[in-house]
Amino acid sequence: MGRKKMLIVGVLLLLGVGFVGTGEIRAQRFPDRPIQLIVPWGPGGPSDLVARVVGDQLGKELKTPVAILNKPGAGGALGAAAAAQAKKDGYTLMVTTQAFYVTAILQPKEVSYDIETTFEPLGRVVETSAVVQVKNSAPWKNLSELLTHIKKNPKKLSCATSPTGTIPHFVWMRLNSLGYETNGVVVQNDPEGISYLSGGHVDFLILSVNPTAPYLMDKSFRGLAVTTEKRVKQFPDIQTFADAGFPDIGSFPTFVAFYAPAGTPKPVVDTLTAALERAMKDPGVLERLEKMRYSAEYLSAAAFNETVKRFVSHVKEMAEKAGIIK
Amino acid sequence: MEALSGLLNGFHIVFNPVNLFVCFVGCVLGTLVGVLPGLGPTSAISLLLPITFRADPVSAIIMLAGIYYGAMYGGSTTSILVNIPGEAASVVTCFDGYPMAQKGRAGPALGISAFGSFVAGTAAVFGLAFFAPALSKVAIRFGPAENVGIIVLSLTLLAFLAQGSMIRALMMAVLGLILGTVGTDLITGKARFNYGIGTLADGIGLIPFVVGLFGVGEVLLNLETSIQREILKTGLKGLFPSLKDWKASTFPMIRATVLGFFLGILPGIGAIIPTFVSYSVEKRLSKHPEKFGTGIIEGVAGPETANNAAAGAAFIPMFSLGIPPNAVLAVLLGALMIHGVQPGPQFISGHPDLFWGVVASMYVGNIMLLILNLPLVPLWVQILRVPYSLLFALILLFCLIGTYTVSNNPGDIVVMVVFGFVGYLIKKYRYEVGPLILAFVLGPILEKNIRQALIISRGSFVVFVTHPISVVFFVITLLLLAFPLVKRRKKGAGPGPTLPREVS
């Protein structure tokens, strides 16, 4: 009786040790459950679409289902807060845009996360650009003509942009601060901006290239400049600010990146980043992203952090100058 | 005619087993999602997006589109049966639909709803098929100044909504305007009245607001007066609309189709506003306006037809310009983009199979929905026989689930409950919910458009007079406001025209 009992206890102990395991063993079995991607924006937006396309492939690489959970609100702050509170086990990640940083800089009181410490970037997956565009019937054939006109007629022209905190809005503010003053008409969403320019209700538009692409392609809108350092692949004719002769306007990247809550174990993070990098090499994913007119280039966490540092200091400087930090 | 051949091609695409099946699935899901309060087509479409990855674009969009217009069919069911709108656009159906159910006429209400939805849906598809490019050019002409004209006119129609005391209706309207200011101001980016609460940073959500006011509020009110509910068990006066109902509904349906269609084309208007406008118009034109709110068929036929017309018309700017006029179609646009298709000015000519396939599927879908919904009427009516002590728990559960699915935000639930209590108080003390909701929806839109118009005009109010479309709407508004005064002066000092009492 005594010996049998000891045997049973011994076996149970052994099994117990096996189950508890060490961190190393857990990581090797990661992932063994579906992974959830929190997107702090509504369905159909850029982060949502990119998260779906890339997340789908990520799931294939990790051999586990990947599900999207939309948690929109407060400029991405609500979803970020939810992701920050998730367990740091690598099963809950966040996919968001540069607004993650911008919202925190502009409204530090409304956000509950810290851009440096709350999350650990896994990598940037796509970059996209905004375009300064006019209707094709407009008299300005290039950026220089438009800006010259604006300088001569300050505060006469109207410019439609996306809401405060977005890249188009920053570009508009930057132009204003450089002496090219226009009346900024903030539109609630991209379709509204397109509709206003199309109907001739505003003089020019600064909006992301993705929703406006069909108009740029069939030439009903004329793109005068892109806001990034490099030109947009699908529209090689649209100059950058530097090409157009205005390098001091600067460059404003829009990007989508994957994040894990800071404190996630390193082996898990490594698995995730490796899988993400592999996913971003898949030709199917690249094709899909290119068709949606995103520049699909994986940037590893280290390189991405460099870009982010510059971006954040740029934004901070502009925001302080314009006095829009609350 | 090129359109005709395109359409025939479209039918050819639709009539294959896969596409017919997904169309059916979309319609069923749409109806279901429309019936459940709070749960809306946006949630359903985004949940199904991953599944459509593997499918080809035509089938994917046929199904997702089916969910969208199907939801407009289902939304009226709970409005009529339990006074809780299944969709925000079905709020107005509650005003007369529920009293009809209380009088034992739930069947005719549901039947006319389904049929009106069918008429409107079919007419909208017709418009989409043949007039999309021309109509979208009209839609583009509406900039901020023009939108202000329409909204001011719509707000004036608010006055016609009032059933009882005008003072109470106006108080509710002002409350709606105040509540509409909560959130982040668009133009300056500053947060207003959200007191640091993240959930309110983007404003009081429409779904939590409506579901709270109508759903939770209604349940709370009924729990207080539980005895009267038993009346509904008896006296079901026929399950289908009578000939009299059909006659009375014909012109409202025609007017609502036209109204809903043209308002639905305009980006930024949505499906709620056409329903309110239709209701007000029908009340204004009716020979017995005082009966509105007591349960007459015109009060159901108009709004239900209008919201389906608006939903169908919303596809026009979506497909011919690539401009989705509301959040649901924006998600649909996203689905198209994932498939590598981006609607824009060249969409119809560049992707004829996709466009005509979807258009043809909408014809088929509307017929499917009619066949689905009409025979279901007796089934739905059985719900009324469930004892309220069981029903209310289920209702609350669905409201809870539906509201949460909007943004996966527990804060929305709190909003819903708070407005549940507000709704209880409003209904108990006989204040008007209609003006509250209309003002809540219109206020922010009006503010946004006025400010945008003034930014463009550099502060000059003259802009509202120099834009022709805007002037037209303002003139109509002034006429509407002046007309009753003129009428009263002509008839002497009477309180208004007296009408012969009709026996119904």
Side-chain angles (χ1 to χ4, degrees), chain B residues 118-386:
Chain B
F118 172 71
V119 167
T122 311
V125 177
F126 185 74
L128 172 63
F130 294 107
F131 303 113
L135 287 170
S136 51
K137 286 203 181 51
V138 173
I140 288 293
R141 301 280 311 279
F142 279 78
E146 290 81 1
N147 285 337
V148 169
I150 291 199
I151 305 286
V152 166
L153 176 60
S154 306
L155 270 176
T156 328
L157 290 174
L158 219 161
F160 295 115
L161 281 180
Q163 270 150 10
S165 151
M166 181 61 79
I167 293 278
R168 288 179 171 209
L170 290 177
M171 281 171 69
M172 286 293 104
V174 172
L175 178 63
L177 289 177
I178 293 175
L179 290 173
T181 61
V182 174
T184 303
D185 173 45
L186 180 70
I187 310 285
T188 59
K190 288 202 201 299
R192 300 190 299 205
F193 297 123
N194 72 329
Y195 300 108
I197 303 174
T199 308
L200 297 178
D202 291 324
I204 298 172
L206 181 63
I207 297 292
F209 184 67
V210 169
V211 174
L213 276 181
F214 277 89
V216 180
E218 182 68 21
V219 167
L220 288 175
L221 188 71
N222 282 318
L223 289 177
E224 198 187 37
T225 59
S226 54
I227 307 165
Q228 277 135 348
R229 292 281 323 184
E230 307 308 308
I231 299 176
L232 282 166
K233 262 212 244 171
T234 61
L236 280 164
K237 301 197 201 117
L239 282 175
F240 287 103
S242 66
L243 201 62
K244 191 151 165 281
D245 289 329
W246 289 109
K247 261 178 77 184
S249 308
T250 316
F251 277 113
M253 274 202 249
I254 296 177
R255 280 190 287 261
T257 306
V258 173
L259 211 67
F261 184 74
F262 284 106
L263 284 176
I265 304 178
L266 305 174
I269 296 291
I272 307 188
I273 297 174
T275 58
F276 273 100
V277 171
S278 167
Y279 189 80
S280 308
V281 164
E282 289 313 313
K283 192 168 172 194
R284 187 75 192 76
L285 293 174
S286 163
K287 293 193 181 52
H288 44 112
E290 73 284 351
K291 287 225 186 120
F292 273 75
T294 62
I296 56 171
I297 198 80
E298 294 94 312
V300 172
E304 267 309 301
T305 311
N307 73 15
N308 277 69
F315 281 98
I316 292 182
M318 164 83 168
F319 283 141
S320 55
L321 297 172
I323 300 179
N326 58 50
V328 184
L329 288 183
V331 182
L332 206 64
L333 188 82
L336 276 169
M337 284 180 76
I338 290 189
H339 283 276
V341 177
Q342 188 163 7
Q346 306 306 321
F347 179 67
I348 302 180
S349 43
H351 295 91
D353 276 359
L354 186 47
F355 176 70
W356 291 110
V358 174
V359 169
S361 80
M362 286 167 72
Y363 276 114
V364 175
N366 272 292
I367 296 178
M368 281 186 189
L369 282 163
L370 186 68
I371 298 177
L372 257 180
N373 280 280
L374 274 182
L376 282 180
V377 163
L379 199 72
W380 290 125
V381 168
Q382 297 305 315
I383 293 181
L384 293 176
R385 292 180 179 249
V386 176

Side-chain angles (χ1 to χ4, degrees), chain A residues 43-44 48-49 52-53 56 60 69-75 78 107 110 154-158 163-164 169 183-189 191-192 194-196 198-202 209-215 218 220 288 291-294 323 326, chain B residues 42 46 49-50 53-54 139-144 146-147 184 186-191 194 196 198-199 201-202 267 320-324 330-331 334-335 337-340 342-346 404 406-410 448-449 452 455-456 458 467:
Chain A
D48 179 72
L49 296 181
R52 286 177 198 275
V53 172
D56 190 54
K60 291 201 188 103
L69 182 62
N70 296 92
K71 277 196 172 259
L78 283 187
Q107 296 176 310
E110 307 270 348
K155 292 209 172 267
K156 275 257 165 68
L157 294 190
S158 54
T164 317
H169 192 91
N183 303 305
V185 181
V186 179
V187 293
Q188 200 158 20
N189 48 50
E192 195 170 298
I194 296 176
S195 150
Y196 283 176
S198 196
H201 304 287
V202 292
V209 71
N210 309 89
T212 51
Y215 287 82
D218 77 347
S220 30
R288 270 214 159 110
K291 265 202 178 148
M292 294 197 282
R293 294 179 200 93
Y294 289 105
K326 291 146 212 147
Chain B
T42 323
S46 43
L49 266 183
F53 264 26
R54 320 270 178 256
I140 288 293
R141 301 280 311 279
F142 279 78
E146 290 81 1
N147 285 337
T184 303
L186 180 70
I187 310 285
T188 59
K190 288 202 201 299
N194 72 329
T199 308
D202 291 324
S320 55
L321 297 172
I323 300 179
V331 182
M337 284 180 76
I338 290 189
H339 283 276
Q342 188 163 7
Q346 306 306 321
Y404 185 71
V406 175
S407 301
N408 297 309
N409 181 0
K448 174 187 82 170
N449 279 292
Q452 285 176 336
I455 290 176
I456 296 177
R458 299 184 295 283
H467 283 230

